[in-house]
Amino acid sequence: MIQSRAIPLPVENIDTDQIIPARFLKSIDKKGFGENLFRDWRYDVHTNEPNADFVLNNPKYSGEILVAGNNFGCGSSREHAAWALTDYGFKVVISSFFADIFKGNALNNGLLPVKVSENFLQEILSGITENPDEEIKVDVESQTISFRNNSEYFEIDSYKKICLMNGYDDIDFLISRKQAIQEFELKTQKIYENKF
């Protein structure tokens, strides 16, 4: 269960180059990308000073949930976009639509993309804009998102659900299944030996 305040970013068609500009993709280490998340929106291009009008620079908003407009994560397939969001501290991104490649990259990096209806998205955006202290509840196990008195069910791949709930990456999942894999191999070996 993730229960947190949220940051509203009601912009549609946010592409991965806006999430993390290409000039910052020189590292293969996942650390450090958060400082350049939405770099060209967070900082003035000429002075490099924080842009006071951008929501991540507004001290009244904080939390582990980003609520964005429709079609989040479109554009290039760079995995660094998910790295930047998680390194900044986000655990959940809410939108009414996600680009497929971004969605896969997010899930592979422990970031939960929650797709909601357009009406519910607008309700959440207006609610947290009016009252930044309001919290959103995201229950991965029941696959529900709740805000105020409303909730919606969201889809998630069953394998990725297991990984998120246990904090696994793909290797961690395989290690967790080590005994079952060994038992299967032993059983298969015995079947093979009995045939010959």
Side-chain angles (χ1 to χ4, degrees), residues 5-8 54-63 88 125 128-133:
R5 295 174 63 186
I7 298 175
F54 187 60
V55 69
L56 292 189
N57 296 328
N58 188 334
K60 74 178 184 179
Y61 294 111
S62 65
Y88 186 82
L125 281 168
I128 60 176
T129 301
E130 291 166 10
N131 182 3
D133 291 326

Side-chain angles (χ1 to χ4, degrees), residues 104 107-109 140 156-165 168-170:
L107 288 167
N108 287 339
N109 286 281
V140 179
I156 184 172
D157 175 84
S158 58
Y159 166 65
K160 290 300 179 186
K161 178 178 177 178
I162 291 169
C163 289
L164 279 171
M165 289 181 65
Y168 293 161
D169 62 16
D170 291 336

Side-chain angles (χ1 to χ4, degrees), residues 15 17 22 28 37 43 45 50 59 78 90 102 117 119-120 128 142 156 160 164 166 169 178 188-189:
D15 66 42
D17 194 53
I28 56 170
L37 177 68
Y43 297 93
V45 179
R78 68 188 67 165
F90 289 116
F102 171 81
S117 68
N119 287 340
F120 196 35
I128 60 176
S142 66
I156 184 172
K160 290 300 179 186
L164 279 171
N166 293 285
D169 62 16
K178 181 179 178 181
T188 304
Q189 182 181 355

Side-chain angles (χ1 to χ4, degrees), residues 91-105:
K91 293 183 178 176
V92 177
V93 179
I94 300 168
S95 179
S96 54
F97 183 80
F98 292 96
D100 284 341
I101 294 174
F102 171 81
K103 186 177 181 180
N105 286 338

